[in-house]
Amino acid sequence: MSNRIYPHPIIAREGWPILAGALIAVIVSWMLDLGIITFLFFVFLVFAFQFFRDPAREAPEDPRAVVSPVDGRVCKVEKCTNPETGEDAVKVSIFMNVFNVHSQKSPVAGVVEKVTYTPGLFVNADLDKASTENERNAVTVRMADGRRITFIQVAGLVARRIICYATIGQELARGERYGFIRFGSRVDVYLPADAEIVAQIGDKMTGVSSTIARL
């Protein structure tokens, strides 16, 4: 399971309607000879293809590794309290810009114990207050050894659509796809206080392939 590659389309299914609409717009505007409008639609189509890409990734061999749930840049590493469990924790926040892969994968294997959606604002996801003020969705997983890890999808300035497929009682494998956020956002991972943190502020993460901590 540590190095399993999970099968899924190269293009995330969340983007299929958008890509289909953009392609139709390109074809119709081209047939109508609309010039610059056709070019703009084509540029958007190319952007949408790169945004909704969802490449398969191979997880590290190390069974202790907690993998990055997304592509992006580490913007916060701090000791805190897990807001879903009340336990002492270390938070690792990863910010995604519009050029990162936005498909979210489970950082550990375990059973989904809790899923909590919280409505909120849409301030810049790179800001600290985004974790507590923005719209967000938290998934808490209990691992086989009883330890709990929470990973929270946080909406951003442009991101207005959080998608989460995880359900209570579901068994998630490490690296398994569980959600998506459209157009810029962040994911906060709350790890046990004794976790060995590998990721540092400013590090660039590759979803599933990069290790953020070891347990």
Side-chain angles (χ1 to χ4, degrees), residues 52-73:
F52 287 105
R53 70 194 188 283
D54 191 8
R57 299 277 175 69
E58 187 171 343
E61 294 286 347
D62 184 359
R64 298 172 54 233
V66 178
V67 302
S68 177
V70 290
D71 290 8
R73 173 179 55 83

Side-chain angles (χ1 to χ4, degrees), residues 78 80-91 114 116 118 131-132 136-140 148-152 154 188-191:
E78 65 177 1
C80 61
T81 299
N82 185 320
E84 297 300 309
T85 67
E87 300 165 343
D88 291 339
V90 179
K91 180 174 74 172
K114 186 179 181 182
T116 307
T118 304
S131 292
T132 56
R136 55 200 180 274
N137 189 80
V139 176
T140 300
R148 294 185 290 184
I149 290 179
T150 297
F151 31 103
I152 303 180
V154 182
D188 296 333
V189 183
Y190 290 84
L191 301 158

Side-chain angles (χ1 to χ4, degrees), residues 124-142:
N124 187 344
D126 206 12
L127 300 176
D128 289 344
K129 64 181 181 179
S131 292
T132 56
E133 296 186 12
N134 277 19
E135 176 179 311
R136 55 200 180 274
N137 189 80
V139 176
T140 300
V141 166
R142 181 180 290 275

